[in-house]
Every structure is written in structure tokens, then in C-alpha cells.
Amino acid sequence: MKLQDMISPLELKALTHVEDKEVEGIFISDMLSDVMSSAKAGDLWLTVQTHKNIVSAANLVDMAAIVVTHGKSVPKETVDLADRFHVAILSCDGSNFELSAKLHAIGFRPR
Amino acid sequence: MNATTCRHQWDMIDTTYGFLVTEKCFHCGMISTEFSLDPTPPLEEYREGDHTWNLVESAQTIRYNLNCRSCGLRVDLKGLLGLMLCTGCDPVCEVDVLRRRFEPERRWVYVAFGFLPEEKHVQLTDEKIAALEEYINQRRRSRTSSIKIVPGRMVSKIQNCYGEVIKDTDMLSLTPPNS
């Protein structure tokens, strides 16, 4: 599914420019170590972390986008860095669990 | 298949979670970094030869090696402290020069750092950095962007560098969850 097509049904808010990337899977973790070891290219990354290094890690793996859950505010320096490196950051008021349920409802399964 | 003719297909192997411990000798200013499996770093200062080491930081990270699934070649990356995305802070730094050159083609420059002090640790060879770069680009599968990895020795003044090695530190949040 295209990232652009997921924003409205999942009630996500784009904090950066969003490119038309294909989302191939879901990855949930708050640790960069987990991203480096286990995330896959094309994954949508659900996290509560907002430190600017999430951009470096997501870019290294070429994740589809980062979704900051629980309505956490994302610092401007993180958003600016993400825009520079074409890493999309979206936010969502719901929890990881709520968003996971919505993702399941639109057809995503563990890959 | 012969390792010299193989078009390597890399996998990450031997993934080990641990801690990147940074210490500083406050007498001479030397920085020491180690990968440790111990979650509790030495909090008290201690002497080792001429140095008195004090803890600066302990951050979670991973260590791994690479293996080619075609020819079985293994690349030992124990010397890799971590990777840092160059965001550009010093126009005369060779890494920043490369970043400016590659950025228009979406080739992002990451720096592969070895452990300190350099003379105490085996540093990454160019061949190992090339294998790491190949692995990361194979893992990304992107046709629109790629990663260039350069050795830490290319950074002109590490003390002035604004970049941050990817590791789990300062990963805090100062806002409560909405739900």
C-alpha cells in the first residue's frame, strides 16, 4: 500500500514532506539497536522516540516512514533533519496498539 | 564459489546486543571506547597505567559481522563502534565535501567509526567498510537513494563534529502519552 493512501484512513498527520513510497511491512520498537538489527526496507516504523537519530536509523535501512505514536511532540530539529534526508515523519494521537489494530484492519500482516 | 569472483550477497550475522562505553582520562584528556556486555559500567573512576578513567556515557548498541550467503565469506566487524550520518558542519572536512557532492543524487554519507584509542584497537580496513556499504545498500533495495560509508579517519576534527553515532542514548521523551 502507498504511504500517501494510508494517511487518511489511519488518521495520521504528516510532519514532513511525504513521498509516494510503498509500505511493505510494520516495525514496532523504541530502540535504534532494534532498527539496525531487524527492521526491513519499506517498513513503517511505529515508535514513541523523537530524538533526531531516528532519522539516521530509518534512512540507513530505507524505511517507508516513521510514525510517532501517542501524540508525542516531535522536536523541530528532528523534523528538519527528516525533511533534508527525505525521511517521512507522521504522527498519530493513538497508541501503538490502536494504530496496529487499524493497520491490521486495512490488511497488514506480519511478514 | 570463489570469494574473489563472487558477487557477494551479505547477511548480518552474530548480532550481539551490548553497550558502548565511553570513558575519559581527565589527566591527559584521552578518550577510550569499548563494547561491553556488562549493563553496569564502572561508575567510580579507576586507574589503569598512567590513566585515570571516568565514565562519560554508556549507550546500548549492537555488534555484528557479515556473511556472504553465496560464497561463505565472513567479514569481522568487531572493530566497528558505530555509524554516523554526516549532516554537514565543517565545510573543510573531507566527509562534508563528499556529503555536498553526493547529496544531489541522494547518496547519503555515513561515517564508520572504530574504537578509541586507535592504537589499542584494530581499525576497520577499507575492504571491510566496502563490504559494510554493500550490505547496507543490498538491505535497502532502493533505486532512488544509496548509502556511502567512509572511515572515521576522514573526519577532520572529531571534537567539532555535530553528527551523532546511531546508538540508544538520549532517547528520552518529555511529553506524556495522549492515551
Side-chain angles (χ1 to χ4, degrees), chain A residues 19 31-37 39 41 49 51-53 56 59-60 62 70 72-73 84 86 93, chain B residues 12 17 60-61 87 99 106 108 110 136 139-142 164-168 170-171 173 175 177-178:
Chain A
E19 294 185 347
M31 295 192 64
L32 302 185
S33 303
D34 289 343
V35 170
M36 287 190 291
S37 71
Q49 290 295 353
H51 187 278
K52 66 179 181 180
N53 248 356
S56 310
N59 185 46
L60 191 70
D62 197 33
H70 284 283
K72 296 270 184 180
S73 60
R84 256 186 73 190
H86 306 273
D93 282 337
Chain B
M12 179 186 282
Y17 277 62
Q60 193 164 356
T61 188
T87 55
R99 179 195 63 80
R106 290 196 180 192
W108 313 122
Y110 283 73
I136 286 171
R139 180 175 168 182
R140 295 176 97 249
R141 296 185 284 113
S142 174
E164 289 183 42
V165 169
I166 302 173
K167 58 188 187 311
D168 285 295
D170 296 333
M171 302 296 285
S173 171
T175 55
N178 271 356

mmCIF file of all heavy atoms in Angstrom, chain A residues 19 31-37 39 41 49 51-53 56 59-60 62 70 72-73 84 86 93, chain B residues 12 17 60-61 87 99 106 108 110 136 139-142 164-168 170-171 173 175 177-178:
data_model
loop_
_atom_site.group_PDB
_atom_site.id
_atom_site.type_symbol
_atom_site.label_atom_id
_atom_site.label_comp_id
_atom_site.label_asym_id
_atom_site.label_seq_id
_atom_site.Cartn_x
_atom_site.Cartn_y
_atom_site.Cartn_z
ATOM 1 N N GLU A 19 6.750 11.341 0.565
ATOM 2 C CA GLU A 19 6.906 10.841 -0.803
ATOM 3 C C GLU A 19 6.004 9.625 -1.026
ATOM 4 O O GLU A 19 5.528 9.019 -0.063
ATOM 5 C CB GLU A 19 8.375 10.472 -1.048
ATOM 6 C CG GLU A 19 9.272 11.700 -1.016
ATOM 7 C CD GLU A 19 10.705 11.383 -1.373
ATOM 8 O OE1 GLU A 19 11.077 10.207 -1.420
ATOM 9 O OE2 GLU A 19 11.466 12.345 -1.596
ATOM 10 N N MET A 31 13.769 1.273 20.043
ATOM 11 C CA MET A 31 15.229 1.199 20.121
ATOM 12 C C MET A 31 15.874 1.232 18.744
ATOM 13 O O MET A 31 15.499 0.466 17.847
ATOM 14 C CB MET A 31 15.643 -0.082 20.843
ATOM 15 C CG MET A 31 15.214 -0.089 22.284
ATOM 16 S SD MET A 31 16.007 -1.401 23.169
ATOM 17 C CE MET A 31 17.712 -0.900 23.063
ATOM 18 N N LEU A 32 16.868 2.096 18.619
ATOM 19 C CA LEU A 32 17.604 2.163 17.355
ATOM 20 C C LEU A 32 18.367 0.869 17.102
ATOM 21 O O LEU A 32 18.557 0.472 15.952
ATOM 22 C CB LEU A 32 18.583 3.345 17.390
ATOM 23 C CG LEU A 32 17.989 4.727 17.641
ATOM 24 C CD1 LEU A 32 19.060 5.794 17.516
ATOM 25 C CD2 LEU A 32 16.857 5.020 16.694
ATOM 26 N N SER A 33 18.805 0.228 18.182
ATOM 27 C CA SER A 33 19.515 -1.050 18.031
ATOM 28 C C SER A 33 18.621 -2.067 17.328
ATOM 29 O O SER A 33 19.086 -2.837 16.478
ATOM 30 C CB SER A 33 19.919 -1.594 19.408
ATOM 31 O OG SER A 33 20.703 -0.679 20.107
ATOM 32 N N ASP A 34 17.336 -2.059 17.678
ATOM 33 C CA ASP A 34 16.398 -2.984 17.030
ATOM 34 C C ASP A 34 16.232 -2.644 15.552
ATOM 35 O O ASP A 34 16.151 -3.534 14.703
ATOM 36 C CB ASP A 34 15.021 -2.899 17.709
ATOM 37 C CG ASP A 34 15.014 -3.518 19.097
ATOM 38 O OD1 ASP A 34 15.941 -4.289 19.410
ATOM 39 O OD2 ASP A 34 14.081 -3.222 19.861
ATOM 40 N N VAL A 35 16.160 -1.362 15.252
ATOM 41 C CA VAL A 35 16.016 -0.944 13.848
ATOM 42 C C VAL A 35 17.220 -1.421 13.049
ATOM 43 O O VAL A 35 17.079 -2.001 11.964
ATOM 44 C CB VAL A 35 15.870 0.590 13.748
ATOM 45 C CG1 VAL A 35 15.962 1.054 12.298
ATOM 46 C CG2 VAL A 35 14.551 1.031 14.359
ATOM 47 N N MET A 36 18.417 -1.191 13.605
ATOM 48 C CA MET A 36 19.630 -1.577 12.870
ATOM 49 C C MET A 36 19.712 -3.088 12.686
ATOM 50 O O MET A 36 20.171 -3.573 11.670
ATOM 51 C CB MET A 36 20.869 -1.053 13.584
ATOM 52 C CG MET A 36 21.033 0.444 13.428
ATOM 53 S SD MET A 36 22.620 1.019 14.007
ATOM 54 C CE MET A 36 22.473 0.780 15.762
ATOM 55 N N SER A 37 19.245 -3.835 13.680
ATOM 56 C CA SER A 37 19.397 -5.297 13.581
ATOM 57 C C SER A 37 18.258 -5.947 12.799
ATOM 58 O O SER A 37 18.478 -6.929 12.108
ATOM 59 C CB SER A 37 19.481 -5.921 14.977
ATOM 60 O OG SER A 37 18.235 -5.861 15.632
ATOM 61 N N ALA A 39 14.942 -4.218 11.387
ATOM 62 C CA ALA A 39 13.961 -3.565 10.508
ATOM 63 C C ALA A 39 14.262 -3.898 9.048
ATOM 64 O O ALA A 39 15.410 -4.170 8.685
ATOM 65 C CB ALA A 39 13.999 -2.063 10.720
ATOM 66 N N ALA A 41 13.711 -2.817 4.834
ATOM 67 C CA ALA A 41 13.417 -1.722 3.906
ATOM 68 C C ALA A 41 11.925 -1.745 3.596
ATOM 69 O O ALA A 41 11.343 -2.808 3.411
ATOM 70 C CB ALA A 41 14.226 -1.894 2.626
ATOM 71 N N GLN A 49 9.802 7.375 20.131
ATOM 72 C CA GLN A 49 11.051 8.134 20.174
ATOM 73 C C GLN A 49 11.022 9.304 19.192
ATOM 74 O O GLN A 49 10.497 9.174 18.082
ATOM 75 C CB GLN A 49 12.242 7.229 19.843
ATOM 76 C CG GLN A 49 12.534 6.221 20.926
ATOM 77 C CD GLN A 49 12.971 6.856 22.234
ATOM 78 O OE1 GLN A 49 13.194 8.062 22.313
ATOM 79 N NE2 GLN A 49 13.087 6.046 23.272
ATOM 80 N N HIS A 51 13.966 11.596 19.163
ATOM 81 C CA HIS A 51 15.338 12.085 19.032
ATOM 82 C C HIS A 51 15.729 12.100 17.553
ATOM 83 O O HIS A 51 15.289 11.238 16.783
ATOM 84 C CB HIS A 51 16.269 11.150 19.811
ATOM 85 C CG HIS A 51 17.680 11.608 19.912
ATOM 86 N ND1 HIS A 51 18.587 11.409 18.896
ATOM 87 C CD2 HIS A 51 18.341 12.243 20.889
ATOM 88 C CE1 HIS A 51 19.762 11.914 19.267
ATOM 89 N NE2 HIS A 51 19.631 12.423 20.476
ATOM 90 N N LYS A 52 16.555 13.054 17.153
ATOM 91 C CA LYS A 52 16.864 13.196 15.724
ATOM 92 C C LYS A 52 17.577 11.978 15.133
ATOM 93 O O LYS A 52 17.559 11.785 13.911
ATOM 94 C CB LYS A 52 17.666 14.472 15.458
ATOM 95 C CG LYS A 52 19.038 14.488 16.057
ATOM 96 C CD LYS A 52 19.753 15.787 15.698
ATOM 97 C CE LYS A 52 21.144 15.787 16.273
ATOM 98 N NZ LYS A 52 21.892 17.004 15.977
ATOM 99 N N ASN A 53 18.158 11.147 15.993
ATOM 100 C CA ASN A 53 18.838 9.966 15.463
ATOM 101 C C ASN A 53 17.870 8.930 14.886
ATOM 102 O O ASN A 53 18.302 8.000 14.206
ATOM 103 C CB ASN A 53 19.726 9.324 16.537
ATOM 104 C CG ASN A 53 21.196 9.471 16.198
ATOM 105 O OD1 ASN A 53 21.546 9.975 15.139
ATOM 106 N ND2 ASN A 53 22.060 9.025 17.084
ATOM 107 N N SER A 56 18.444 9.154 11.215
ATOM 108 C CA SER A 56 19.654 8.460 10.736
ATOM 109 C C SER A 56 19.407 6.965 10.607
ATOM 110 O O SER A 56 19.828 6.341 9.635
ATOM 111 C CB SER A 56 20.818 8.668 11.710
ATOM 112 O OG SER A 56 20.981 10.013 12.013
ATOM 113 N N ASN A 59 16.764 6.149 7.786
ATOM 114 C CA ASN A 59 17.368 6.379 6.471
ATOM 115 C C ASN A 59 18.355 5.266 6.109
ATOM 116 O O ASN A 59 18.423 4.829 4.963
ATOM 117 C CB ASN A 59 18.077 7.742 6.475
ATOM 118 C CG ASN A 59 18.614 8.111 5.122
ATOM 119 O OD1 ASN A 59 17.942 7.978 4.116
ATOM 120 N ND2 ASN A 59 19.854 8.580 5.082
ATOM 121 N N LEU A 60 19.088 4.796 7.123
ATOM 122 C CA LEU A 60 20.076 3.738 6.882
ATOM 123 C C LEU A 60 19.402 2.477 6.340
ATOM 124 O O LEU A 60 19.948 1.796 5.482
ATOM 125 C CB LEU A 60 20.810 3.418 8.192
ATOM 126 C CG LEU A 60 22.041 2.532 8.087
ATOM 127 C CD1 LEU A 60 23.184 3.271 7.400
ATOM 128 C CD2 LEU A 60 22.484 2.066 9.466
ATOM 129 N N ASP A 62 16.309 2.512 4.961
ATOM 130 C CA ASP A 62 15.331 2.934 3.950
ATOM 131 C C ASP A 62 13.924 2.488 4.327
ATOM 132 O O ASP A 62 13.217 1.839 3.546
ATOM 133 C CB ASP A 62 15.699 2.417 2.549
ATOM 134 C CG ASP A 62 14.940 3.186 1.460
ATOM 135 O OD1 ASP A 62 14.678 4.376 1.663
ATOM 136 O OD2 ASP A 62 14.592 2.581 0.438
ATOM 137 N N HIS A 70 1.189 7.958 20.162
ATOM 138 C CA HIS A 70 0.815 8.522 21.471
ATOM 139 C C HIS A 70 0.765 10.047 21.458
ATOM 140 O O HIS A 70 0.828 10.674 22.519
ATOM 141 C CB HIS A 70 1.775 8.067 22.579
ATOM 142 C CG HIS A 70 1.556 6.664 23.037
ATOM 143 N ND1 HIS A 70 0.535 6.280 23.876
ATOM 144 C CD2 HIS A 70 2.241 5.524 22.772
ATOM 145 C CE1 HIS A 70 0.621 4.988 24.115
ATOM 146 N NE2 HIS A 70 1.639 4.495 23.454
ATOM 147 N N LYS A 72 2.960 12.145 20.763
ATOM 148 C CA LYS A 72 4.195 12.790 21.260
ATOM 149 C C LYS A 72 4.602 13.923 20.325
ATOM 150 O O LYS A 72 4.503 13.787 19.102
ATOM 151 C CB LYS A 72 5.324 11.759 21.309
ATOM 152 C CG LYS A 72 5.092 10.629 22.288
ATOM 153 C CD LYS A 72 5.654 10.981 23.630
ATOM 154 C CE LYS A 72 5.517 9.825 24.602
ATOM 155 N NZ LYS A 72 6.071 10.166 25.909
ATOM 156 N N SER A 73 5.074 14.990 20.911
ATOM 157 C CA SER A 73 5.530 16.096 20.062
ATOM 158 C C SER A 73 6.940 15.798 19.554
ATOM 159 O O SER A 73 7.762 15.236 20.277
ATOM 160 C CB SER A 73 5.493 17.420 20.832
ATOM 161 O OG SER A 73 6.318 17.335 21.954
ATOM 162 N N ARG A 84 15.313 17.089 5.261
ATOM 163 C CA ARG A 84 16.557 17.175 4.476
ATOM 164 C C ARG A 84 16.913 15.847 3.835
ATOM 165 O O ARG A 84 17.437 15.796 2.727
ATOM 166 C CB ARG A 84 17.707 17.583 5.396
ATOM 167 C CG ARG A 84 18.123 19.011 5.238
ATOM 168 C CD ARG A 84 19.342 19.290 6.061
ATOM 169 N NE ARG A 84 20.544 18.696 5.506
ATOM 170 C CZ ARG A 84 21.696 18.645 6.154
ATOM 171 N NH1 ARG A 84 21.790 19.136 7.362
ATOM 172 N NH2 ARG A 84 22.749 18.118 5.596
ATOM 173 N N HIS A 86 14.781 13.333 3.252
ATOM 174 C CA HIS A 86 13.611 12.712 2.602
ATOM 175 C C HIS A 86 13.072 11.523 3.403
ATOM 176 O O HIS A 86 12.640 10.520 2.824
ATOM 177 C CB HIS A 86 13.950 12.288 1.166
ATOM 178 C CG HIS A 86 14.509 13.403 0.340
ATOM 179 N ND1 HIS A 86 13.711 14.272 -0.362
ATOM 180 C CD2 HIS A 86 15.783 13.820 0.131
ATOM 181 C CE1 HIS A 86 14.477 15.160 -0.975
ATOM 182 N NE2 HIS A 86 15.739 14.911 -0.692
ATOM 183 N N ASP A 93 -2.304 10.296 17.200
ATOM 184 C CA ASP A 93 -2.697 10.514 18.593
ATOM 185 C C ASP A 93 -2.858 9.206 19.362
ATOM 186 O O ASP A 93 -2.709 9.178 20.576
ATOM 187 C CB ASP A 93 -4.021 11.304 18.648
ATOM 188 C CG ASP A 93 -3.791 12.785 18.383
ATOM 189 O OD1 ASP A 93 -2.648 13.241 18.591
ATOM 190 O OD2 ASP A 93 -4.737 13.465 17.959
ATOM 191 N N MET B 12 23.548 -10.031 7.796
ATOM 192 C CA MET B 12 24.075 -9.694 9.120
ATOM 193 C C MET B 12 24.044 -10.972 9.967
ATOM 194 O O MET B 12 23.014 -11.642 10.039
ATOM 195 C CB MET B 12 23.201 -8.607 9.767
ATOM 196 C CG MET B 12 23.657 -8.198 11.148
ATOM 197 S SD MET B 12 22.496 -7.036 11.962
ATOM 198 C CE MET B 12 22.888 -5.496 11.153
ATOM 199 N N TYR B 17 23.732 -7.775 21.243
ATOM 200 C CA TYR B 17 23.346 -6.521 21.893
ATOM 201 C C TYR B 17 24.289 -6.271 23.063
ATOM 202 O O TYR B 17 24.622 -7.194 23.807
ATOM 203 C CB TYR B 17 21.904 -6.607 22.401
ATOM 204 C CG TYR B 17 20.871 -6.318 21.340
ATOM 205 C CD1 TYR B 17 20.760 -7.118 20.210
ATOM 206 C CD2 TYR B 17 20.007 -5.244 21.461
ATOM 207 C CE1 TYR B 17 19.817 -6.848 19.229
ATOM 208 C CE2 TYR B 17 19.046 -4.971 20.493
ATOM 209 C CZ TYR B 17 18.960 -5.775 19.382
ATOM 210 O OH TYR B 17 18.033 -5.504 18.408
ATOM 211 N N GLN B 60 23.250 1.746 24.712
ATOM 212 C CA GLN B 60 23.041 0.431 24.119
ATOM 213 C C GLN B 60 23.285 0.481 22.611
ATOM 214 O O GLN B 60 22.963 1.468 21.947
ATOM 215 C CB GLN B 60 21.635 -0.074 24.404
ATOM 216 C CG GLN B 60 21.510 -1.542 24.069
ATOM 217 C CD GLN B 60 20.291 -2.204 24.672
ATOM 218 O OE1 GLN B 60 19.551 -1.597 25.419
ATOM 219 N NE2 GLN B 60 20.100 -3.459 24.346
ATOM 220 N N THR B 61 23.860 -0.589 22.113
ATOM 221 C CA THR B 61 24.141 -0.676 20.681
ATOM 222 C C THR B 61 24.221 -2.149 20.276
ATOM 223 O O THR B 61 23.970 -3.024 21.113
ATOM 224 C CB THR B 61 25.447 0.072 20.340
ATOM 225 O OG1 THR B 61 25.607 0.129 18.918
ATOM 226 C CG2 THR B 61 26.664 -0.626 20.941
ATOM 227 N N THR B 87 25.735 15.235 8.641
ATOM 228 C CA THR B 87 24.708 16.248 8.377
ATOM 229 C C THR B 87 25.345 17.574 7.949
ATOM 230 O O THR B 87 24.627 18.521 7.659
ATOM 231 C CB THR B 87 23.828 16.468 9.621
ATOM 232 O OG1 THR B 87 24.668 16.805 10.729
ATOM 233 C CG2 THR B 87 23.046 15.211 9.958
ATOM 234 N N ARG B 99 29.714 14.760 1.285
ATOM 235 C CA ARG B 99 28.275 14.901 1.508
ATOM 236 C C ARG B 99 27.669 15.886 0.509
ATOM 237 O O ARG B 99 26.639 15.609 -0.115
ATOM 238 C CB ARG B 99 28.004 15.392 2.941
ATOM 239 C CG ARG B 99 26.538 15.590 3.269
ATOM 240 C CD ARG B 99 26.353 16.403 4.530
ATOM 241 N NE ARG B 99 26.869 17.763 4.422
ATOM 242 C CZ ARG B 99 26.242 18.770 3.826
ATOM 243 N NH1 ARG B 99 25.061 18.580 3.284
ATOM 244 N NH2 ARG B 99 26.798 19.973 3.764
ATOM 245 N N ARG B 106 21.102 11.907 -3.899
ATOM 246 C CA ARG B 106 20.537 11.158 -2.762
ATOM 247 C C ARG B 106 21.443 9.996 -2.357
ATOM 248 O O ARG B 106 20.980 8.881 -2.119
ATOM 249 C CB ARG B 106 19.145 10.648 -3.078
ATOM 250 C CG ARG B 106 18.099 11.731 -3.159
ATOM 251 C CD ARG B 106 16.730 11.113 -3.080
ATOM 252 N NE ARG B 106 15.700 12.111 -3.147
ATOM 253 C CZ ARG B 106 14.421 11.870 -2.867
ATOM 254 N NH1 ARG B 106 14.046 10.678 -2.490
ATOM 255 N NH2 ARG B 106 13.521 12.823 -2.950
ATOM 256 N N TRP B 108 23.607 9.219 0.596
ATOM 257 C CA TRP B 108 23.825 9.759 1.932
ATOM 258 C C TRP B 108 25.110 9.206 2.526
ATOM 259 O O TRP B 108 25.378 8.010 2.455
ATOM 260 C CB TRP B 108 22.644 9.411 2.841
ATOM 261 C CG TRP B 108 21.300 9.665 2.222
ATOM 262 C CD1 TRP B 108 20.307 8.761 2.029
ATOM 263 C CD2 TRP B 108 20.791 10.921 1.699
ATOM 264 N NE1 TRP B 108 19.220 9.355 1.429
ATOM 265 C CE2 TRP B 108 19.486 10.669 1.217
ATOM 266 C CE3 TRP B 108 21.304 12.205 1.601
ATOM 267 C CZ2 TRP B 108 18.701 11.664 0.638
ATOM 268 C CZ3 TRP B 108 20.523 13.191 1.022
ATOM 269 C CH2 TRP B 108 19.250 12.920 0.566
ATOM 270 N N TYR B 110 27.532 8.185 5.500
ATOM 271 C CA TYR B 110 27.648 7.771 6.897
ATOM 272 C C TYR B 110 29.130 7.515 7.189
ATOM 273 O O TYR B 110 29.858 7.020 6.328
ATOM 274 C CB TYR B 110 26.864 6.486 7.168
ATOM 275 C CG TYR B 110 25.360 6.685 7.286
ATOM 276 C CD1 TYR B 110 24.583 6.943 6.157
ATOM 277 C CD2 TYR B 110 24.716 6.617 8.514
ATOM 278 C CE1 TYR B 110 23.219 7.123 6.253
ATOM 279 C CE2 TYR B 110 23.340 6.789 8.620
ATOM 280 C CZ TYR B 110 22.597 7.048 7.490
ATOM 281 O OH TYR B 110 21.238 7.230 7.590
ATOM 282 N N ILE B 136 24.623 -2.759 3.379
ATOM 283 C CA ILE B 136 23.557 -1.801 3.687
ATOM 284 C C ILE B 136 22.764 -1.449 2.435
ATOM 285 O O ILE B 136 21.531 -1.387 2.466
ATOM 286 C CB ILE B 136 24.145 -0.558 4.382
ATOM 287 C CG1 ILE B 136 24.503 -0.937 5.819
ATOM 288 C CG2 ILE B 136 23.165 0.616 4.369
ATOM 289 C CD1 ILE B 136 25.270 0.075 6.583
ATOM 290 N N ARG B 139 20.538 -4.323 1.587
ATOM 291 C CA ARG B 139 19.412 -4.388 2.535
ATOM 292 C C ARG B 139 18.369 -3.320 2.218
ATOM 293 O O ARG B 139 17.174 -3.536 2.370
ATOM 294 C CB ARG B 139 19.971 -4.205 3.951
ATOM 295 C CG ARG B 139 18.937 -4.249 5.042
ATOM 296 C CD ARG B 139 19.612 -4.174 6.405
ATOM 297 N NE ARG B 139 18.669 -3.935 7.482
ATOM 298 C CZ ARG B 139 19.001 -3.789 8.748
ATOM 299 N NH1 ARG B 139 20.272 -3.876 9.106
ATOM 300 N NH2 ARG B 139 18.088 -3.565 9.674
ATOM 301 N N ARG B 140 18.813 -2.147 1.749
ATOM 302 C CA ARG B 140 17.879 -1.059 1.445
ATOM 303 C C ARG B 140 17.057 -1.337 0.181
ATOM 304 O O ARG B 140 15.941 -0.920 0.058
ATOM 305 C CB ARG B 140 18.650 0.259 1.250
ATOM 306 C CG ARG B 140 19.352 0.742 2.499
ATOM 307 C CD ARG B 140 20.169 1.978 2.191
ATOM 308 N NE ARG B 140 19.462 3.203 2.527
ATOM 309 C CZ ARG B 140 19.004 4.085 1.673
ATOM 310 N NH1 ARG B 140 19.186 3.907 0.381
ATOM 311 N NH2 ARG B 140 18.374 5.163 2.068
ATOM 312 N N ARG B 141 17.644 -1.939 -0.787
ATOM 313 C CA ARG B 141 16.951 -2.256 -2.046
ATOM 314 C C ARG B 141 16.389 -1.015 -2.734
ATOM 315 O O ARG B 141 15.427 -1.099 -3.487
ATOM 316 C CB ARG B 141 15.806 -3.259 -1.796
ATOM 317 C CG ARG B 141 16.262 -4.609 -1.293
ATOM 318 C CD ARG B 141 15.100 -5.586 -1.186
ATOM 319 N NE ARG B 141 14.244 -5.352 -0.041
ATOM 320 C CZ ARG B 141 12.986 -4.949 -0.111
ATOM 321 N NH1 ARG B 141 12.420 -4.759 -1.279
ATOM 322 N NH2 ARG B 141 12.278 -4.757 0.982
ATOM 323 N N SER B 142 16.945 0.145 -2.482
ATOM 324 C CA SER B 142 16.392 1.373 -3.052
ATOM 325 C C SER B 142 17.012 1.661 -4.416
ATOM 326 O O SER B 142 18.208 1.496 -4.612
ATOM 327 C CB SER B 142 16.669 2.543 -2.110
ATOM 328 O OG SER B 142 16.258 3.745 -2.721
ATOM 329 N N GLU B 164 25.957 12.484 15.201
ATOM 330 C CA GLU B 164 25.829 11.585 16.347
ATOM 331 C C GLU B 164 25.810 10.154 15.853
ATOM 332 O O GLU B 164 25.060 9.826 14.930
ATOM 333 C CB GLU B 164 24.540 11.858 17.123
ATOM 334 C CG GLU B 164 24.572 13.163 17.891
ATOM 335 C CD GLU B 164 23.309 13.360 18.708
ATOM 336 O OE1 GLU B 164 22.838 12.400 19.323
ATOM 337 O OE2 GLU B 164 22.801 14.492 18.699
ATOM 338 N N VAL B 165 26.637 9.318 16.492
ATOM 339 C CA VAL B 165 26.643 7.898 16.159
ATOM 340 C C VAL B 165 25.283 7.305 16.524
ATOM 341 O O VAL B 165 24.692 7.663 17.548
ATOM 342 C CB VAL B 165 27.773 7.178 16.931
ATOM 343 C CG1 VAL B 165 27.643 5.670 16.820
ATOM 344 C CG2 VAL B 165 29.135 7.633 16.419
ATOM 345 N N ILE B 166 24.766 6.424 15.688
ATOM 346 C CA ILE B 166 23.481 5.786 15.961
ATOM 347 C C ILE B 166 23.651 4.816 17.125
ATOM 348 O O ILE B 166 24.348 3.806 17.021
ATOM 349 C CB ILE B 166 22.964 5.023 14.724
ATOM 350 C CG1 ILE B 166 22.829 5.974 13.534
ATOM 351 C CG2 ILE B 166 21.630 4.353 15.020
ATOM 352 C CD1 ILE B 166 22.497 5.266 12.228
ATOM 353 N N LYS B 167 23.039 5.156 18.240
ATOM 354 C CA LYS B 167 23.063 4.298 19.428
ATOM 355 C C LYS B 167 21.909 4.730 20.315
ATOM 356 O O LYS B 167 21.346 5.808 20.130
ATOM 357 C CB LYS B 167 24.406 4.411 20.159
ATOM 358 C CG LYS B 167 24.776 5.808 20.611
ATOM 359 C CD LYS B 167 26.193 5.829 21.126
ATOM 360 C CE LYS B 167 26.641 7.120 21.761
ATOM 361 N NZ LYS B 167 26.391 8.367 21.022
ATOM 362 N N ASP B 168 21.576 3.885 21.268
ATOM 363 C CA ASP B 168 20.421 4.198 22.107
ATOM 364 C C ASP B 168 20.832 5.013 23.320
ATOM 365 O O ASP B 168 21.011 4.478 24.409
ATOM 366 C CB ASP B 168 19.709 2.904 22.510
ATOM 367 C CG ASP B 168 18.922 2.333 21.357
ATOM 368 O OD1 ASP B 168 17.963 2.984 20.928
ATOM 369 O OD2 ASP B 168 19.289 1.259 20.858
ATOM 370 N N ASP B 170 20.174 9.204 25.031
ATOM 371 C CA ASP B 170 19.370 10.436 24.953
ATOM 372 C C ASP B 170 18.024 10.180 24.292
ATOM 373 O O ASP B 170 17.402 11.101 23.783
ATOM 374 C CB ASP B 170 20.097 11.535 24.152
ATOM 375 C CG ASP B 170 21.362 11.970 24.839
ATOM 376 O OD1 ASP B 170 21.414 11.854 26.078
ATOM 377 O OD2 ASP B 170 22.288 12.402 24.146
ATOM 378 N N MET B 171 17.591 8.923 24.270
ATOM 379 C CA MET B 171 16.325 8.617 23.620
ATOM 380 C C MET B 171 15.212 8.823 24.634
ATOM 381 O O MET B 171 14.574 7.884 25.109
ATOM 382 C CB MET B 171 16.336 7.184 23.080
ATOM 383 C CG MET B 171 17.459 6.923 22.096
ATOM 384 S SD MET B 171 17.338 7.896 20.598
ATOM 385 C CE MET B 171 16.034 7.048 19.774
ATOM 386 N N SER B 173 11.805 11.185 26.172
ATOM 387 C CA SER B 173 10.637 11.924 25.726
ATOM 388 C C SER B 173 10.145 12.745 26.905
ATOM 389 O O SER B 173 10.026 12.235 28.021
ATOM 390 C CB SER B 173 9.556 10.952 25.262
ATOM 391 O OG SER B 173 8.366 11.669 25.024
ATOM 392 N N THR B 175 7.260 14.491 26.836
ATOM 393 C CA THR B 175 5.815 14.721 26.797
ATOM 394 C C THR B 175 5.094 13.426 27.156
ATOM 395 O O THR B 175 5.489 12.352 26.717
ATOM 396 C CB THR B 175 5.349 15.185 25.406
ATOM 397 O OG1 THR B 175 5.789 14.236 24.431
ATOM 398 C CG2 THR B 175 5.907 16.551 25.071
ATOM 399 N N PRO B 177 2.197 10.477 27.124
ATOM 400 C CA PRO B 177 1.391 9.957 26.021
ATOM 401 C C PRO B 177 -0.025 10.508 26.083
ATOM 402 O O PRO B 177 -0.550 10.765 27.162
ATOM 403 C CB PRO B 177 1.416 8.449 26.238
ATOM 404 C CG PRO B 177 1.754 8.266 27.668
ATOM 405 C CD PRO B 177 2.584 9.429 28.068
ATOM 406 N N ASN B 178 -0.660 10.651 24.928
ATOM 407 C CA ASN B 178 -2.031 11.154 24.855
ATOM 408 C C ASN B 178 -3.030 10.152 25.390
ATOM 409 O O ASN B 178 -4.078 10.512 25.900
ATOM 410 C CB ASN B 178 -2.405 11.461 23.396
ATOM 411 C CG ASN B 178 -2.031 12.879 23.050
ATOM 412 O OD1 ASN B 178 -1.583 13.623 23.900
ATOM 413 N ND2 ASN B 178 -2.206 13.244 21.796
#
